[in-house]
């Protein structure tokens, strides 16, 4: 049901924008859940990977145009350099150590390919909105950018998005474009959003 949440729809729009031309090729959604993010991006070939078997069954029933596999973030089972883009919506905070997964993603992505991810923002003023006992680490924006750089990616864009109470006060969300133009602080949003590329020209 998470795709019915207003913040999910906000972030899905960002994924469509930030994947760019890479999002039209081969896209892997790691932690795909019900597969709705792949449907929102609309790649030529989409592969969803999740460790939850029930989620995979739901994804297969809802989005038969894509391939869905039960699997692990650090074992994508694809050829080297065969993927244009990897997306992960609120996954990295569930990994005790993101290094094996990021190394695997770098192996799988073409030179110039892209990763786009979102994750809760440690600097958000209302952290209770994403309390989850399965969260291993909540990142700041600069910290997450540094983790991606160390893994061999070049961050293109990194920012925070979303206001507390987006479901309760949708007008507040609609005003955020104005807030940003008025120098809304870069790292105050609910979710971090990062787009990064493997070495070489971006798509």
């Amino acid at each position: 049901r998470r795709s019915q949440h207003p913040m999910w729809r906000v972030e899905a729009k960002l994924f469509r924008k930030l994947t760019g031309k890479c999002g039209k090729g081969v896209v892997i959604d790691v932690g795909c859940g019900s597969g709705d993010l792949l449907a929102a991006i609309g790649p030529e070939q989409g592969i969803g990977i999740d460790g939850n078997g029930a989620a995979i069954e739901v994804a297969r029933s809802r989005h038969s145009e894509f391939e869905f596999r039960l699997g692990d973030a650090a074992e994508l089972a694809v050829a080297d350099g065969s993927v244009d883009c990897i997306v992960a919506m609120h996954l990295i905070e569930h990994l005790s150590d993101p290094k094996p997964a990021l190394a695997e993603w770098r192996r799988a992505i073409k030179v110039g390919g892209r990763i786009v991810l979102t994750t809760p923002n440690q600097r958000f003023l209302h952290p209770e909105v994403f309390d989850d006992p399965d969260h291993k680490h909540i990142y700041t924006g600069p910290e997450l950018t540094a983790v991606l750089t160390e893994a061999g990616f070049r961050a293109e864009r990194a920012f925070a998005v979303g206001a507390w109470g987006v479901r309760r006060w949708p007008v507040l969300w609609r005003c955020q474009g104005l807030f940003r133009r008025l120098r809304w602080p870069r790292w105050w949003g609910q979710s971090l959003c990062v787009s990064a590329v493997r070495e070489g020209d971006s798509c």
Side-chain angles (χ1 to χ4, degrees):
R1 291 192 294 267
R2 67 178 183 172
S3 60
Q4 302 305 311
H5 194 283
M7 270 305 298
W8 187 95
R9 294 194 291 271
V10 166
E11 292 182 19
K13 289 180 181 179
L14 285 172
F15 275 95
R16 284 200 302 271
K17 178 179 179 180
L18 294 175
T19 54
K21 293 180 181 178
C22 292
K24 301 305 179 184
V26 180
V27 177
I28 293 181
D29 180 5
V30 186
C32 64
S34 60
D36 292 340
L37 182 58
L38 278 178
I41 295 170
E44 181 178 333
Q45 180 182 350
I47 300 170
I49 296 175
D50 202 289
N52 186 318
I56 291 296
E57 291 304 314
V58 171
R60 287 171 177 167
S61 68
R62 293 178 65 167
H63 304 290
S64 58
E65 69 272 28
F66 302 126
E67 176 185 354
F68 295 97
R69 309 173 184 166
L70 189 64
D72 185 88
E75 296 180 9
L76 302 184
V78 295
D80 293 359
S82 62
V83 177
D84 294 289
C85 187
I86 291 177
V87 297
M89 180 185 276
H90 291 271
L91 170 83
I92 196 167
E93 68 272 15
H94 293 276
L95 304 179
S96 298
D97 181 4
K99 292 180 181 178
L102 291 172
E104 172 69 351
W105 299 0
R106 187 177 182 278
R107 177 198 68 78
I109 292 178
K110 299 174 181 177
V111 172
R114 179 175 291 151
I115 63 171
V116 180
L117 57 85
T118 55
T119 187
N121 179 14
Q122 186 189 111
R123 293 184 181 175
F124 186 51
L125 298 179
H126 297 277
E128 68 275 8
V129 303
F130 43 73
D131 279 349
D132 185 335
D134 192 51
H135 285 170
K136 302 300 189 295
H137 185 74
I138 304 299
Y139 294 86
T140 66
E143 180 186 16
L144 183 57
T145 300
V147 167
L148 294 175
T149 300
E150 184 180 351
F153 295 95
R154 173 172 51 84
E156 288 187 315
R157 296 193 64 188
F159 54 92
V161 64
W164 183 62
V166 67
R167 182 188 292 277
R168 230 175 306 174
W169 303 303
V171 173
L172 181 61
W173 165 253
R174 295 191 185 103
C175 291
Q176 284 186 102
L178 173 62
F179 295 156
R180 190 170 295 163
R181 287 193 290 273
L182 295 174
R183 299 184 183 275
W184 172 283
R186 182 183 183 191
W187 300 120
W188 277 15
Q190 181 173 329
S191 295
L192 299 174
C193 184
V194 180
S195 168
V197 296
R198 195 177 181 277
E199 299 95 333
D201 296 332
S202 64
C203 295

